[in-house]
Amino acid sequence: GAGVSQTPSNKVTEKGKYVELRCDPISGHTALYWYRQSLGQGPEFLIYFQGTGAADDSGLPNDRFFAVRPEGSVSTLKIQRTERGDSAVYLCASSLTGSGSRTGELFFGEGSRLTVL
Amino acid sequence: GQQLNQSPQSMFIQEGEDVSMNCTSSSIFNTWLWYKQDPGEGPVLLIALYKAGELTSNGRLTAQFGITRKDSFLNISASIPSDVGIYFCAGLQGAQKLVFGQGTRLTINP
């Protein structure tokens, strides 16, 4: 499709389990972002990739969270030893950088809703 | 960390009314943006503001970038049912990181 694709759309897991969330950005977009949105709140920045490298991971809450983008396209957000407080919608976004792009214009996917029981 | 404060948190209006919401920050941002989120969807960019004092329109939407660079407002004229949703302001921190407000939820009575 033409938009950002995220899978799974819903994930229910038990406390302590490992979870992977996948993001397929818009073709040609070099920048990819992960945000977390708790109920009733705005999206909260987690990490930003430019190409294959993480340019800014200052938003990752702790070392249980890790993200990769090995080929500069698809990205996976990995959460180890999940806790109930990790329950949220995880949003992925992508953007063009450089000429031809509007600064700050991110294209978001529909999100992956994670519920930790 | 930096926080953007949006007001009001929610609005209940009649179809056809004009809407005004704003966003303030304790810190300066050089770029302000307004996004809208529908249920089950990701936010979508409505308007981007790049210069202090700038007033920008997009159809029935008008947004302004405050002179102090610490605030912005969004106006919607002649509201219609599809305007329902959550409106987020966001400030650009550095080159690529967006800081979002907590949102203003708009409900329209037909």
Side-chain angles (χ1 to χ4, degrees):
Chain A
V4 175
S5 176
Q6 292 189 247
T7 56
S9 55
N10 277 286
K11 175 70 176 179
V12 180
T13 191
E14 293 179 342
K15 180 175 179 296
K17 298 289 189 183
Y18 169 80
V19 165
E20 287 191 354
L21 306 175
R22 176 190 164 106
C23 174
D24 199 342
I26 294 173
S27 177
H29 281 193
T30 55
L32 183 144
Y33 312 77
W34 285 99
Y35 282 77
R36 178 168 69 175
Q37 188 172 26
S38 300
L39 192 63
Q41 301 295 317
E44 177 188 17
F45 173 82
L46 295 177
I47 187 170
Y48 149 60
F49 288 89
Q50 182 60 43
T52 60
D56 184 346
D57 64 356
S58 62
L60 295 178
N62 51 59
D63 61 6
R64 295 189 297 107
F65 288 75
F66 190 71
V68 295
R69 193 186 186 200
E71 297 178 359
S73 179
V74 170
S75 175
T76 304
L77 178 66
K78 308 180 181 194
I79 309 173
Q80 297 178 320
R81 305 183 304 280
T82 52
E83 299 177 357
R84 291 194 180 88
D86 297 336
S87 297
V89 175
Y90 289 81
L91 292 166
C92 177
S94 67
S95 71
L96 286 169
T97 52
S99 62
S101 64
R102 277 199 295 176
T103 300
E105 182 169 24
L106 272 56
F107 296 85
F108 283 87
E110 295 182 348
S112 293
R113 180 178 297 278
L114 175 65
T115 303
V116 182
L117 301 176
Chain B
Q2 290 177 304
Q3 286 192 331
L4 298 186
N5 297 307
Q6 289 189 242
S7 64
Q9 290 188 356
S10 60
M11 302 182 74
F12 298 85
I13 64 168
Q14 297 294 123
E15 184 177 349
E17 286 185 11
D18 296 343
V19 171
S20 184
M21 61 188 77
N22 65 22
C23 184
T24 59
S25 169
S26 57
S27 302
I28 288 173
F29 287 102
N30 290 317
T31 297
W32 283 82
L33 306 110
W34 285 91
Y35 278 80
K36 177 177 182 259
Q37 186 174 30
D38 292 330
E41 304 286 330
V44 174
L45 181 66
L46 298 174
I47 288 182
L49 301 156
Y50 300 113
K51 187 176 175 183
E54 179 181 359
L55 185 71
T56 296
S57 293
N58 178 9
R60 294 178 297 106
L61 276 61
T62 302
Q64 183 154 31
F65 189 158
I67 288 291
T68 65
R69 293 185 285 160
K70 291 184 176 182
D71 64 315
S72 177
F73 72 73
L74 175 70
N75 287 342
I76 306 172
S77 63
S79 57
I80 60 177
S82 62
D83 291 334
V84 165
I86 304 176
Y87 291 79
F88 291 101
C89 62
L92 184 64
Q93 186 177 50
Q96 296 290 345
K97 181 175 168 181
L98 290 183
V99 178
F100 284 86
Q102 77 273 35
T104 293
R105 181 181 295 273
L106 179 63
T107 302
I108 298 175
N109 300 315

